[in-house]
Short mmCIF file of all heavy atoms in Angstrom, two decimals:
data_model
loop_
_atom_site.label_atom_id
_atom_site.label_comp_id
_atom_site.label_asym_id
_atom_site.label_seq_id
_atom_site.Cartn_x
_atom_site.Cartn_y
_atom_site.Cartn_z
N SER J 2017 -1.17 -30.10 -5.80
CA SER J 2017 -1.03 -30.48 -4.39
C SER J 2017 -1.11 -31.99 -4.20
O SER J 2017 -0.58 -32.53 -3.22
CB SER J 2017 -2.11 -29.80 -3.55
OG SER J 2017 -2.00 -28.41 -3.62
N ASP J 2018 -1.77 -32.66 -5.12
CA ASP J 2018 -1.93 -34.12 -5.02
C ASP J 2018 -0.69 -34.89 -5.44
O ASP J 2018 -0.62 -36.11 -5.26
CB ASP J 2018 -3.13 -34.58 -5.88
CG ASP J 2018 -4.46 -34.15 -5.27
OD1 ASP J 2018 -4.50 -33.90 -4.05
OD2 ASP J 2018 -5.44 -34.06 -6.03
N ILE J 2019 0.28 -34.22 -6.05
CA ILE J 2019 1.52 -34.91 -6.45
C ILE J 2019 2.33 -35.21 -5.20
O ILE J 2019 2.69 -34.29 -4.45
CB ILE J 2019 2.34 -34.04 -7.43
CG1 ILE J 2019 1.54 -33.74 -8.69
CG2 ILE J 2019 3.67 -34.74 -7.78
CD1 ILE J 2019 2.22 -32.78 -9.65
N PRO J 2020 2.61 -36.45 -4.88
CA PRO J 2020 3.34 -36.80 -3.65
C PRO J 2020 4.68 -36.08 -3.55
O PRO J 2020 5.37 -35.90 -4.56
CB PRO J 2020 3.53 -38.32 -3.77
CG PRO J 2020 2.43 -38.76 -4.68
CD PRO J 2020 2.24 -37.65 -5.67
N SER J 2021 5.04 -35.66 -2.34
CA SER J 2021 6.27 -34.88 -2.14
C SER J 2021 7.53 -35.72 -2.33
O SER J 2021 8.62 -35.16 -2.45
CB SER J 2021 6.27 -34.26 -0.74
OG SER J 2021 6.23 -35.27 0.25
N ASN J 2022 7.40 -37.05 -2.36
CA ASN J 2022 8.59 -37.89 -2.56
C ASN J 2022 8.95 -38.06 -4.04
O ASN J 2022 9.97 -38.67 -4.37
CB ASN J 2022 8.37 -39.27 -1.93
CG ASN J 2022 7.24 -40.04 -2.58
OD1 ASN J 2022 6.22 -39.46 -2.94
ND2 ASN J 2022 7.41 -41.35 -2.73
N LEU J 2023 8.11 -37.51 -4.94
CA LEU J 2023 8.38 -37.60 -6.37
C LEU J 2023 9.11 -36.36 -6.85
O LEU J 2023 8.80 -35.24 -6.44
CB LEU J 2023 7.08 -37.77 -7.15
CG LEU J 2023 6.25 -39.02 -6.86
CD1 LEU J 2023 5.00 -39.05 -7.74
CD2 LEU J 2023 7.07 -40.29 -7.05
N SER J 2024 10.07 -36.56 -7.74
CA SER J 2024 10.75 -35.42 -8.36
C SER J 2024 9.87 -34.87 -9.48
O SER J 2024 9.13 -35.61 -10.14
CB SER J 2024 12.11 -35.84 -8.92
OG SER J 2024 11.95 -36.86 -9.89
N VAL J 2025 9.93 -33.54 -9.67
CA VAL J 2025 9.05 -32.89 -10.65
C VAL J 2025 9.86 -31.92 -11.49
O VAL J 2025 10.69 -31.16 -10.97
CB VAL J 2025 7.91 -32.12 -9.94
CG1 VAL J 2025 7.05 -31.36 -10.96
CG2 VAL J 2025 7.04 -33.06 -9.12
N ALA J 2026 9.60 -31.94 -12.79
CA ALA J 2026 10.09 -30.90 -13.71
C ALA J 2026 8.86 -30.13 -14.19
O ALA J 2026 7.87 -30.74 -14.60
CB ALA J 2026 10.82 -31.52 -14.89
N SER J 2027 8.92 -28.80 -14.10
CA SER J 2027 7.70 -28.03 -14.40
C SER J 2027 8.02 -26.71 -15.10
O SER J 2027 9.16 -26.24 -15.12
CB SER J 2027 6.94 -27.72 -13.10
OG SER J 2027 7.61 -26.71 -12.37
N SER J 2028 6.96 -26.14 -15.65
CA SER J 2028 7.04 -24.76 -16.14
C SER J 2028 7.37 -23.85 -14.96
O SER J 2028 6.98 -24.14 -13.82
CB SER J 2028 5.70 -24.35 -16.76
OG SER J 2028 5.31 -25.22 -17.79
N ASN J 2029 8.04 -22.76 -15.25
CA ASN J 2029 8.45 -21.85 -14.18
C ASN J 2029 7.26 -21.35 -13.37
O ASN J 2029 7.32 -21.25 -12.14
CB ASN J 2029 9.22 -20.66 -14.76
CG ASN J 2029 9.56 -19.62 -13.70
OD1 ASN J 2029 10.30 -19.88 -12.77
ND2 ASN J 2029 8.99 -18.44 -13.84
N ASN J 2030 6.15 -21.02 -14.04
CA ASN J 2030 5.05 -20.36 -13.35
C ASN J 2030 4.28 -21.26 -12.39
O ASN J 2030 3.46 -20.76 -11.61
CB ASN J 2030 4.08 -19.71 -14.34
CG ASN J 2030 3.47 -20.72 -15.29
OD1 ASN J 2030 4.04 -21.78 -15.51
ND2 ASN J 2030 2.33 -20.40 -15.84
N VAL J 2031 4.51 -22.58 -12.42
CA VAL J 2031 3.89 -23.45 -11.41
C VAL J 2031 4.92 -23.95 -10.40
O VAL J 2031 4.59 -24.68 -9.48
CB VAL J 2031 3.16 -24.66 -12.04
CG1 VAL J 2031 1.97 -24.20 -12.85
CG2 VAL J 2031 4.11 -25.50 -12.88
N GLY J 2032 6.18 -23.53 -10.59
CA GLY J 2032 7.25 -24.00 -9.72
C GLY J 2032 7.07 -23.66 -8.26
O GLY J 2032 7.41 -24.45 -7.37
N SER J 2033 6.49 -22.48 -7.98
CA SER J 2033 6.30 -22.09 -6.57
C SER J 2033 5.21 -22.90 -5.89
O SER J 2033 5.11 -22.91 -4.65
CB SER J 2033 5.95 -20.60 -6.48
OG SER J 2033 4.76 -20.31 -7.18
N HIS J 2034 4.39 -23.63 -6.66
CA HIS J 2034 3.33 -24.48 -6.10
C HIS J 2034 3.81 -25.92 -5.89
O HIS J 2034 3.04 -26.76 -5.44
CB HIS J 2034 2.12 -24.49 -7.03
CG HIS J 2034 1.39 -23.18 -7.08
ND1 HIS J 2034 0.13 -23.00 -6.58
CD2 HIS J 2034 1.75 -21.98 -7.60
CE1 HIS J 2034 -0.25 -21.75 -6.77
NE2 HIS J 2034 0.72 -21.12 -7.39
N LEU J 2035 5.07 -26.19 -6.24
CA LEU J 2035 5.58 -27.57 -6.19
C LEU J 2035 6.84 -27.68 -5.33
O LEU J 2035 7.64 -28.60 -5.48
CB LEU J 2035 5.90 -28.05 -7.61
CG LEU J 2035 4.69 -28.24 -8.53
CD1 LEU J 2035 5.13 -28.28 -9.99
CD2 LEU J 2035 3.94 -29.51 -8.16
N THR J 2036 7.00 -26.76 -4.40
CA THR J 2036 8.28 -26.63 -3.68
C THR J 2036 8.46 -27.64 -2.55
O THR J 2036 9.58 -27.80 -2.05
CB THR J 2036 8.40 -25.21 -3.09
OG1 THR J 2036 7.23 -24.94 -2.29
CG2 THR J 2036 8.49 -24.18 -4.19
N HIS J 2037 7.41 -28.29 -2.11
CA HIS J 2037 7.52 -29.19 -0.97
C HIS J 2037 8.01 -30.58 -1.42
O HIS J 2037 7.30 -31.57 -1.30
CB HIS J 2037 6.17 -29.30 -0.24
CG HIS J 2037 5.77 -28.03 0.42
ND1 HIS J 2037 4.62 -27.89 1.15
CD2 HIS J 2037 6.38 -26.82 0.48
CE1 HIS J 2037 4.52 -26.66 1.61
NE2 HIS J 2037 5.59 -25.99 1.21
N ARG J 2038 9.21 -30.58 -1.93
CA ARG J 2038 9.86 -31.81 -2.37
C ARG J 2038 11.35 -31.53 -2.47
O ARG J 2038 11.78 -30.37 -2.60
CB ARG J 2038 9.30 -32.29 -3.71
CG ARG J 2038 9.56 -31.38 -4.88
CD ARG J 2038 8.64 -31.71 -6.05
NE ARG J 2038 7.25 -31.38 -5.71
CZ ARG J 2038 6.32 -32.29 -5.40
NH1 ARG J 2038 6.62 -33.58 -5.41
NH2 ARG J 2038 5.09 -31.91 -5.10
N ARG J 2039 12.13 -32.59 -2.45
CA ARG J 2039 13.58 -32.42 -2.46
C ARG J 2039 14.10 -32.06 -3.85
O ARG J 2039 15.06 -31.30 -3.99
CB ARG J 2039 14.25 -33.70 -1.96
CG ARG J 2039 15.74 -33.52 -1.72
CD ARG J 2039 16.35 -34.71 -1.02
NE ARG J 2039 17.75 -34.46 -0.68
CZ ARG J 2039 18.54 -35.35 -0.11
NH1 ARG J 2039 18.06 -36.54 0.20
NH2 ARG J 2039 19.80 -35.05 0.16
N SER J 2040 13.49 -32.63 -4.88
CA SER J 2040 13.98 -32.43 -6.25
C SER J 2040 12.93 -31.73 -7.09
O SER J 2040 11.85 -32.28 -7.35
CB SER J 2040 14.36 -33.77 -6.88
OG SER J 2040 15.41 -34.39 -6.16
N LEU J 2041 13.25 -30.53 -7.53
CA LEU J 2041 12.35 -29.73 -8.36
C LEU J 2041 13.18 -29.11 -9.48
O LEU J 2041 14.17 -28.43 -9.22
CB LEU J 2041 11.67 -28.63 -7.53
CG LEU J 2041 10.77 -27.66 -8.29
CD1 LEU J 2041 9.59 -28.38 -8.90
CD2 LEU J 2041 10.29 -26.55 -7.35
N TYR J 2042 12.78 -29.35 -10.72
CA TYR J 2042 13.52 -28.85 -11.87
C TYR J 2042 12.63 -27.91 -12.68
O TYR J 2042 11.40 -28.01 -12.65
CB TYR J 2042 14.00 -30.00 -12.77
CG TYR J 2042 14.46 -31.22 -12.02
CD1 TYR J 2042 13.89 -32.49 -12.27
CD2 TYR J 2042 15.45 -31.12 -11.04
CE1 TYR J 2042 14.31 -33.61 -11.59
CE2 TYR J 2042 15.87 -32.25 -10.33
CZ TYR J 2042 15.29 -33.50 -10.61
OH TYR J 2042 15.70 -34.60 -9.91
#
Side-chain angles (χ1 to χ4, degrees):
S2017 299
D2018 289 338
I2019 300 174
S2021 61
N2022 63 322
L2023 299 181
S2024 59
V2025 176
S2027 74
S2028 303
N2029 175 64
N2030 60 337
V2031 294
S2033 60
H2034 291 248
L2035 292 162
T2036 55
H2037 293 181
R2038 65 197 68 255
R2039 190 171 186 182
S2040 298
L2041 176 63
Y2042 321 125

